[in-house]
Each structure stands twice: as C-alpha cells, then as structure tokens.
Amino acid sequence: MRVRKLTFTALALAAGLSLTACNGDDSAAQSSGTSASSASSAGSGSAEGSGQDSAGKSATGQGTATGTGSDTDAAAGNCSTDALEVTATDATIGGDTEGTVAVTFKNGGGQDCTLSGYAGVDLKTNAGDLSAERTGQDSDPVTLADGESVSFGITYPVNDSGGSGVRITGLVVTPPNETKSVTLDWPGAASLPVTDGSGATVKVGPMGSAGQGGAS
C-alpha cells in the first residue's frame, strides 16, 4: 500500500510541473507577440510621417514656381510724363505756306509703354497762352519699347506781314492721358501774325503725324 501512495504522489507532482511549463510558454509567446506588434506600429507611423513631410515640401515648391511667372504677360501701360524725354525741333520745309514744329517723345522709362491720340499743346506768347487745335486725324496707339521714339507735328501760320506780330516765348506739351506738362523752348519762327480770328490757327496732329506731311 505504501508503494502505491508514493506512485500517486509522484504522478501528481509531474502533472503540476508540466502545467506550469505550459503556462510559462504561453506567457512568453504572448509577450513576444505584443513586442512585435508594437515595433510594427512604430515603424508604420514613422513611414507615414515622412511621406507627409515630403508631400508638403513638394506642394510648397510648386506654389512658389507658379507665382514666379504670374506677371510675365502684363500689358504695356500708358507712358507717363516722367518716363518720356520730350524734345522739339523746327521741321518747316522751304516753300511751305505754314511753319511746322516736330515734337518727339522718347521712352526712357525702362519698360514698354503706350501713347495714343493727341498730346496737349499750348504756345506761350506775349499776348497770353494759345492752345493748339486738334486736326481730327485718326491714329492708332503706339507702343514704345525702352529707347524708342514717336513724333507728332504742330503747324502754325507764318508771319509774313512785315510787322512784329505775336511773339512766341515758349511751348508747353502734355503727353496723352497725362496731366503733368513739360515746358520747352520754341524752335520755330519767332512770331505769329496778328489775326482777328478769321485766319489760320495753330494745329496739333496725332502721334506719328510728324514726317508724314506734318499736322494738316
């Protein structure tokens, strides 16, 4: 009887040891799985964050490139008085019944600009200012690159009366669509004939009219 009891005791002890070993293996496996899952999640998060940073930088670069060329096709604006070099020369041809002065606008503003229509012209005289009348000729807008020029003509009656007439002391020119004027020396004949208003008047032609027979 004693031998049987010892055998039962040994069997019970072996069963307990086996159960303990199985539980230990399961715990180790669970612990190993948890660690692997955590490592996988950490690696995945790092990769996603890197991709977002790269995409963000790429989008920013594209926006900068697009903005850089946004003004390349801007249209040429009106030529301002300050951007123009204004000169006047005597352009009268021998035998003409009227005198002619050519006024030239040279673009010195560093970029393209446009002139269209008529400039304002006033003669300063010892009898007061005299405004030139427009000839009424049609003209197309003229776009000047930096350094380019365009001229227009001023025609006036020649004083052949033998008298002193009306003495011209200066020329005031205002570019088209501008309010700022430029005062120049008058390069033409010294005087206009005295008139009661029924004779010839001072006239101004549009842009490009000088050299094409003057402003008539």
Side-chain angles (χ1 to χ4, degrees):
M1 294 296 291
R2 183 171 181 172
V3 172
R4 181 178 293 181
K5 287 181 179 179
L6 288 173
T7 301
F8 286 155
T9 301
L11 289 172
L13 180 58
L17 291 172
S18 176
L19 181 60
T20 301
C22 289
N23 289 338
D25 291 342
D26 291 342
S27 297
Q30 290 176 357
S31 176
S32 176
T34 301
S35 298
S37 175
S38 298
S40 176
S41 297
S44 174
S46 176
E48 289 177 1
S50 177
Q52 289 172 354
D53 291 343
S54 177
K57 292 176 182 177
S58 176
T60 302
Q62 290 175 357
T64 301
T66 300
T68 300
S70 59
D71 294 328
T72 55
D73 296 326
N78 182 64
C79 296
S80 67
T81 303
D82 291 335
L84 296 171
E85 299 174 19
V86 188
T87 56
T89 58
D90 185 8
T92 304
I93 298 175
D96 284 354
T97 58
E98 292 183 310
T100 301
V101 166
V103 176
T104 300
F105 289 139
K106 180 179 180 180
N107 180 12
Q111 60 185 0
D112 293 1
C113 65
T114 300
L115 290 168
S116 61
Y118 290 78
V121 171
D122 294 285
L123 300 187
K124 300 181 75 66
T125 76
N126 62 342
D129 292 349
L130 175 64
S131 295
E133 299 178 2
R134 296 181 177 183
T135 62
Q137 294 171 271
D138 293 331
S139 67
D140 295 324
V142 177
T143 297
L144 300 177
D146 184 44
E148 290 186 339
S149 303
V150 66
S151 301
F152 67 90
I154 303 169
T155 57
Y156 60 94
V158 176
N159 180 21
D160 55 7
S161 64
S164 59
V166 178
R167 186 166 54 87
I168 303 172
T169 59
L171 170 65
V172 181
V173 178
T174 308
N177 303 308
E178 284 290 297
T179 56
K180 185 176 181 179
S181 302
V182 176
T183 299
L184 305 170
D185 291 335
W186 174 252
S191 64
L192 301 173
V194 176
T195 177
D196 58 4
S198 60
T201 59
V202 178
K203 294 184 179 181
V204 55
M207 294 300 109
S209 60
Q212 304 296 323
S216 56

